[in-house]
Amino acid sequence: MTMRKRLIEWVVLGLVVGLSACGDDAGSADDAAGTGTGGGGDDAAAMCDPVGATPEVGALLNAPVAADVEVIQKTPQHPGAPGPVDLP
Amino acid sequence: MSPSTIFSRSAGSAIGLAIAAATLVTPQSASAADVDCVSLPNPVYFPATTLLESLLAEIAPVLADPALGDDQMTIIHFPLSSCIAYDLHREQMPLTGTAVYYLPDGTQSECDMPEDSDIRSDLQAMDVGGVTCLGGQAPPAELLEYPSHVETLGFVVPRNSSQTAITATEAYYLMKFGGEAEQQVAPWTNPDFILVRNPGSSTQLTVGANIGIPGTMWNGALNGHQGSGDVRDALIAQNATGNAEEVIGILNSSKWEAALNDIKVLAFQPFNACLGAVFPDSTSTSRDKRNVRDGHYPIWTNLRYVVRTDGNGAVVTENGDAAAARAQRFIDLMTGADAIEPLNVASAIIGTGNIPTCAMHVTREVDGGPIASFEHDAPCECLFLEENGVDSGCATCSDDTPCAAGTCRFGYCEER
């Protein structure tokens, strides 16, 4: 029972951390719209992996930036799923 | 034969070395120089990455000044791709062709090596580690690498392009498939307009390490170039052709920052990054390298100076003890181990678009490898920002006006 409860806690925590690290717009319709041959609803979500293969790198890459930092949300133009895994 | 196809991955192969020797002749060598390199005072024979050209233009004239006395030296630069320069030094091949040097007044000039030259390199510089050039093999024990400042690299487009960003996955498709049908990334679909370097280039190797496809495996249809200056010139030329929107290249910050009227760097979204794409600087127009220095922008590398050493760790060169002493002195000055009054290396590094390690908050052990948090023992954050025209908020200080808190360094009160 305790293990099950802990598992649920980890899942909930993971969802919360993932969503907060990815920002409010990461999974929005605008981001997922795509144009041309690329884009797609799964692209933006899959690219937003706050951990990756190396947790410390993920933490540095996804650390909050100051308000004056310019961040561009680009609709991917490549075919297929985003990397880094399962690239052709 | 295009530069991108002439250098095999086996960097130490006979083919690679033969080609390296052939390409030692710089692009300017079509017209022979009137000066013999061996006639220059206190020469330092220095095959090195083309990414170092901007910094050498600041440093070499100061060192050429006879007023320096025993420290006077003539830096004779053979501008090459990093791994080609590394092979020349590692194999101690005779240096031939035309090289670049500077007069004390800052004038860039050229000199010719003797046709039957038996002169070898005294030291070498590159933007990747020897292990990268050797395809993962350990470098020879006698080669000692001195890590130095950080070079920022990135994707660039002509100023007349409307593009502002690229993702790591998009870059992967560009470099692997080179515009192949069904694998295209708009608007960069024509391989003739995708301007890259060659498999021995530290720029290409470093960019490749951050986009999931090694720089040695990029598509042969891409438009390869021997030096970073060649990429810059080709990219700028496209501003006037009507093709600017289709053009993209890879370059180092010292080159694009010297051509901001004609070139702009793209924001880059790394793999696993959730925030979006960011520029090396905090914005497209700032010059603070904030995202490089704090770990948000990963396409960067450390310059390394490479010397040969004896069993006791002392620098050696085939050109004699005096040449070895000059090589060691040059490295000491460039890495901050020692300093002389007229030479402000930190300012020169900053002024040419690079980052001294004292301004970095992240580091990495392996080329293109994981980034880790880092704090320098003697930080120079204030100097770095002020030299880039950014208000650091730091108090100024001097011997007569010490800091109320922190440490006075380079004229500013650093936190530590």
Side-chain angles (χ1 to χ4, degrees):
Chain A
M1 191 66 177
T2 303
M3 285 294 291
R4 183 176 180 184
K5 182 180 178 184
R6 178 157 295 176
L7 179 62
I8 293 172
E9 286 175 354
W10 275 108
V11 170
V12 171
L13 179 64
L15 287 172
V16 170
V17 169
L19 288 174
S20 61
C22 294
D24 294 336
D25 297 333
S28 69
D30 286 347
D31 283 343
T35 57
T37 58
D42 292 335
D43 281 4
M47 289 189 75
C48 193
D49 171 4
V51 177
T54 309
E56 185 177 7
V57 176
L60 289 165
L61 284 177
N62 294 296
V65 294
D68 62 344
V69 173
E70 187 176 351
V71 179
I72 296 177
Q73 304 296 335
K74 182 176 185 185
T75 301
Q77 299 297 304
H78 57 79
V85 296
D86 296 330
L87 290 169
Chain B
M1 186 178 293
S2 76
S4 63
T5 59
I6 61 173
F7 191 75
S8 72
R9 180 63 199 109
S10 177
S13 70
I15 294 174
L17 288 172
I19 292 165
T23 54
L24 196 68
V25 179
T26 65
Q28 299 93 332
S29 64
S31 59
D34 293 331
V35 176
D36 291 332
C37 297
V38 294
S39 70
L40 296 169
N42 301 320
V44 175
Y45 295 100
F46 186 42
T49 169
T50 58
L51 272 58
L52 205 56
E53 289 168 332
S54 302
L55 182 60
L56 285 179
E58 300 292 322
I59 298 291
V62 179
L63 292 175
D65 189 347
L68 289 183
D70 291 343
D71 282 327
Q72 193 277 342
M73 60 183 83
T74 305
I75 306 299
I76 300 176
H77 180 212
F78 299 84
L80 295 164
S81 294
S82 281
C83 292
I84 295 176
Y86 182 68
D87 272 353
L88 282 175
H89 190 55
R90 182 170 60 92
E91 297 294 331
Q92 283 291 283
M93 295 181 67
L95 297 172
T96 60
T98 302
V100 175
Y101 72 101
Y102 287 87
L103 300 171
D105 66 1
T107 303
Q108 185 192 66
S109 193
E110 295 176 3
C111 64
D112 287 330
M113 296 296 290
E115 285 192 10
D116 56 350
S117 170
D118 194 36
I119 295 171
R120 319 299 166 110
S121 53
D122 293 316
L123 77 163
Q124 178 260 331
M126 57 185 180
D127 300 280
V128 290
V131 67
T132 297
C133 289
L134 295 173
Q137 295 180 0
E142 71 269 19
L143 289 184
L144 181 61
E145 296 183 15
Y146 286 85
S148 184
H149 64 265
V150 166
E151 299 258 14
T152 305
L153 307 165
F155 294 90
V156 290
V157 295
R159 176 56 65 181
N160 289 342
S161 166
S162 69
Q163 299 300 308
T164 58
I166 185 170
T167 73
T169 307
E170 288 178 329
Y172 170 90
Y173 274 84
L174 284 185
M175 302 315 176
K176 177 162 185 178
F177 297 107
E180 184 180 313
E182 308 300 325
Q183 307 289 0
Q184 293 180 336
V185 177
W188 306 299
T189 57
N190 185 341
D192 289 340
F193 294 149
I194 303 175
L195 312 180
V196 298
R197 293 284 307 281
N198 60 74
S201 152
S202 56
T203 302
Q204 185 158 320
L205 292 168
T206 302
V207 172
N210 286 279
I211 63 171
I213 180 164
T216 54
M217 298 174 63
W218 288 14
N219 194 293
L222 302 175
N223 192 347
H225 296 76
Q226 184 61 28
S228 54
D230 304 326
V231 171
R232 174 201 57 203
D233 296 344
L235 193 119
I236 289 174
Q238 293 292 347
N239 274 312
T241 62
N243 299 318
E245 193 69 10
E246 296 181 73
V247 176
I248 188 170
I250 56 171
L251 208 58
N252 55 305
S253 61
S254 57
K255 285 287 191 298
W256 80 60
E257 289 191 359
L260 287 177
N261 288 335
D262 302 305
I263 294 175
K264 59 182 183 180
V265 64
L266 297 179
F268 176 70
Q269 183 166 2
F271 291 130
N272 302 314
C274 302
L275 297 173
V278 296
F279 294 95
D281 303 286
S282 56
T283 71
S284 61
T285 56
S286 61
R287 191 171 169 174
D288 53 21
K289 300 292 187 299
R290 195 191 304 176
N291 290 319
V292 176
R293 298 188 299 116
D294 70 8
H296 282 98
Y297 183 96
I299 314 178
W300 56 266
T301 185
N302 283 100
L303 185 88
R304 278 90 157 184
Y305 295 98
V306 184
V307 290
R308 295 170 58 242
T309 58
D310 63 16
N312 298 317
V315 174
V316 294
T317 156
E318 296 294 321
N319 303 323
D321 292 344
R326 283 194 296 272
Q328 181 66 67
R329 183 66 173 153
F330 179 62
I331 288 176
D332 288 346
L333 294 173
M334 296 303 288
T335 59
D338 205 349
I340 52 178
E341 183 61 35
L343 190 64
N344 190 334
V345 175
S347 290
I349 288 171
I350 296 168
T352 49
N354 300 307
I355 310 171
T357 54
C358 54
M360 290 292 289
H361 298 288
V362 292
T363 187
R364 59 170 30 128
E365 295 292 325
V366 180
D367 296 325
I371 294 170
S373 295
F374 160 79
E375 293 299 337
H376 198 277
D377 290 339
C380 60
E381 181 99 8
C382 303
L383 173 76
F384 180 80
L385 293 174
E386 295 287 345
E387 293 265 322
N388 278 308
V390 180
D391 182 7
S392 67
C394 303
T396 56
C397 57
S398 67
D399 290 343
D400 298 330
T401 55
C403 300
T407 302
C408 187
R409 190 172 298 117
F410 298 119
Y412 297 98
C413 296
E414 299 282 350
E415 284 189 4
R416 290 181 289 112

